[in-house]
Amino acid sequence: MPHRLDLPAGFRWGASTAAYQIEGAVDEDGRGPSVWDTFAARPGAVRDGHTGAVACDHYHRYPEDIALMKGLGLDGYRFSVAWPRIRPTGEGAVNPAGLDFYDRLVDALLAVGITPLPTLFHWDLPQTLEDAGGWLNRDTAYRFAEYTAIVADRLGDRVPAWITLNEPFVHMVYGYALGIHAPGRALMLDALPVAHHQLLAHGLAAAALRERGLDVLIANNLTPVWPASSADADLAAAEAYDALHNRLFTDPLLLGRYPDLSAYGVGPDLGGSVHDGDLKLITATPLDGLGVNYYNPTRIAAPTEPGLPFAEAPIEGVPRTTFDWPVVPDGLRELLTGLRDRYGAALPPVTITENGCSTTEELDDTFRIDYLAGHLDALAAALAQGVDVRGYYTWSLLDNYEWAEGYHQRFGLVHVDFATQKRTPRASYAWYRDLIAAHRARQAG
């Protein structure tokens, strides 16, 4: 019996992937190197030295993967465009073969009734731009806007909505503050200008998309923040963490201002990186939708050592994924209703652009089915409480290259044998397919 959900007509079902995690073909057809090619080649940077050089070979096998999407009955497919395929050095000459690939991908999706939802930046910055400072360099925002216009001019006649950035918080913290993702810089609080330059890039790109009559979204990784206790110090620490993780990348877009970051010793100009008129640029093109990537809440306590104004505390008594992430489905409802309460009428319609889990199960992945069912129940509860949620894109269609974890974390509805590239749908694939079909049948009846 399919899991029953009461969701509105027009609710969109999808799955998500990202270019470096599935495409492979890193040296083919004029693609330039990205920061992830460089980082993955660094000894010890990625578990067992894994790279995305082949990944799922989606670059060559995309027709097979689209057939899997069609089998699920998806409304939409969220993928990312690899900037180094379009402009191998991040600026200058355009690579026609890169545009041709995404042209073929979009046409193949539309041919089976699946709406493409591209993300323009999912962490694979061209290495040449990183060499010039990367997201610490304000100029990168302008190069991103140029790249956006190039891709939108090629695909915008068939692709109605676009996501500018994926999880700018995670990219800033893991890539520039802690150094555990590409580009591997460990700057701690000196990484904060990266936040502003990514948001500036969003604003400039959003204007380019709107000029072409296209809808604009951004996908943020958001988390409910739980104080470890009711003590004032823990409450203050939780407030500081919420400002950094959730509000730093949402308040400027929806409220036109940065949150209070004084706990980090930073003023509203983020150390001088905010220039006059920047916030106007960032907010000039209102969002048509907010993409929410949700995986788990975060429990925060007062720090016990000097440095940051918070310390992460464990969430106990709940299941955990293979990634050791706590499984708290109701956190999604809490997050969505919290966004509604915080931003009110300024909150645009929401789409869940990522939600899923890694598990060691091979094909009979009951853990993942339970995970998805619980989170979709939480989504339905948020809808019942008045949050405007338009769709759900699970992470991920395929097992893939999971960044610094290499191929050790499996998130896919479809199992991938990375030695042979054989795709095998899991039990969760059949469950998701049946869920989508049952929802459509109820709407039609």
Side-chain angles (χ1 to χ4, degrees):
M1 185 76 177
H3 192 73
R4 183 179 179 88
L5 289 168
D6 291 320
L7 300 174
F11 187 87
R12 301 190 66 79
W13 298 98
S16 296
T17 65
Y20 191 75
Q21 294 181 271
I22 66 166
E23 283 183 0
V26 297
D27 296 321
E28 292 189 38
D29 294 338
R31 179 188 178 277
S34 78
V35 293
W36 269 99
D37 298 299
T38 303
F39 184 76
R42 184 188 301 174
V46 176
R47 190 173 167 188
D48 290 339
H50 292 171
T51 79
V54 177
C56 302
D57 196 29
H58 176 76
Y59 189 77
H60 300 110
R61 298 172 184 265
Y62 72 89
E64 179 181 359
D65 296 335
I66 291 175
L68 288 164
M69 298 177 214
K70 181 182 178 183
L72 281 169
L74 297 185
D75 297 303
Y77 171 53
R78 179 184 172 224
F79 62 94
S80 75
V81 178
W83 191 345
R85 287 202 193 280
I86 308 305
R87 275 182 136 180
T89 63
E91 56 186 341
V94 176
N95 176 33
L99 285 171
D100 289 347
F101 168 69
Y102 294 106
D103 208 44
R104 295 192 299 270
L105 178 66
V106 164
D107 282 348
L109 289 165
L110 292 173
V112 295
I114 297 173
T115 301
L117 180 61
T119 301
L120 286 157
F121 181 70
H122 201 127
W123 306 352
D124 48 355
L125 188 73
Q127 182 60 45
T128 307
L129 291 184
E130 179 59 30
D131 294 341
W135 288 109
L136 289 164
N137 184 350
R138 181 182 175 90
D139 186 62
T140 298
Y142 293 88
R143 303 291 77 77
F144 180 70
E146 293 169 359
Y147 148 70
T148 296
I150 291 164
V151 180
D153 281 341
R154 181 62 174 269
L155 304 178
D157 61 326
R158 287 153 290 157
V159 180
W162 297 71
I163 295 171
T164 55
L165 308 175
N166 177 74
E167 297 187 345
F169 168 79
V170 177
H171 186 55
M172 176 190 75
V173 171
Y174 280 33
Y176 286 87
L178 301 178
I180 58 178
H181 279 183
R185 302 204 196 190
L187 302 173
M188 296 305 287
L189 291 176
D190 288 338
L192 279 171
V194 169
H196 180 65
H197 295 152
Q198 287 187 96
L199 285 169
L200 180 62
H202 162 84
L204 294 166
L209 292 168
R210 182 72 86 247
E211 286 170 5
R212 290 157 175 82
L214 303 171
D215 285 352
V216 179
L217 298 86
I218 189 171
N220 284 344
N221 177 288
L222 300 174
T223 180
V225 179
W226 295 352
S229 78
S230 59
D232 289 346
D234 287 346
L235 293 171
E239 181 67 24
Y241 185 80
D242 184 56
L244 182 71
H245 189 135
N246 294 320
R247 300 182 64 183
L248 178 60
F249 291 96
T250 311
D251 281 14
L253 293 168
L254 301 184
L255 301 179
R257 60 179 182 269
Y258 280 107
D260 180 5
L261 297 173
S262 58
Y264 301 91
V266 176
D269 65 348
L270 268 64
S273 59
V274 181
H275 295 188
D276 287 345
D278 280 1
L279 282 165
K280 191 172 183 179
L281 278 172
I282 290 169
T283 59
T285 306
L287 288 172
D288 297 292
L290 177 65
V292 169
N293 296 356
Y294 171 76
Y295 290 98
N296 54 264
T298 307
R299 188 165 177 258
I300 294 295
T304 57
E305 298 178 358
L308 294 172
F310 62 84
E312 197 163 342
I315 295 175
E316 298 174 339
V318 299
R320 307 190 80 83
T321 71
T322 306
F323 229 141
D324 201 33
W325 295 348
V327 178
V328 186
D330 191 60
L332 178 57
R333 180 203 57 79
E334 179 184 343
L335 175 65
L336 293 172
T337 56
L339 287 169
R340 188 260 331 268
D341 294 345
R342 173 174 286 169
Y343 296 110
L347 181 69
V350 171
T351 295
I352 306 305
T353 39
E354 288 185 26
N355 175 244
C357 67
S358 61
T359 170
T360 57
E361 296 165 312
E362 288 296 314
L363 299 180
D364 186 15
D365 53 342
T366 55
F367 184 94
R368 180 175 289 111
I369 291 170
D370 290 344
Y371 179 101
L372 296 174
H375 285 79
L376 283 163
D377 285 342
L379 184 155
L383 272 162
Q385 293 177 37
V387 185
D388 185 1
V389 185
R390 301 287 178 88
Y392 176 88
Y393 288 68
T394 190
W395 185 273
S396 177
L397 176 71
L398 303 168
D399 289 338
N400 54 40
Y401 180 80
E402 187 52 42
W403 308 116
E405 284 287 300
Y407 297 103
H408 291 285
Q409 302 291 341
R410 291 182 174 267
F411 280 84
L413 300 177
V414 176
H415 177 276
V416 177
D417 182 327
F418 293 106
T420 66
Q421 293 298 334
K422 181 181 179 182
R423 275 89 158 128
T424 307
R426 291 188 165 100
S428 59
Y429 175 98
W431 180 88
Y432 196 47
R433 176 199 65 207
D434 294 347
L435 176 77
I436 295 169
H439 175 257
R440 291 212 180 101
R442 285 195 298 275
Q443 294 301 323

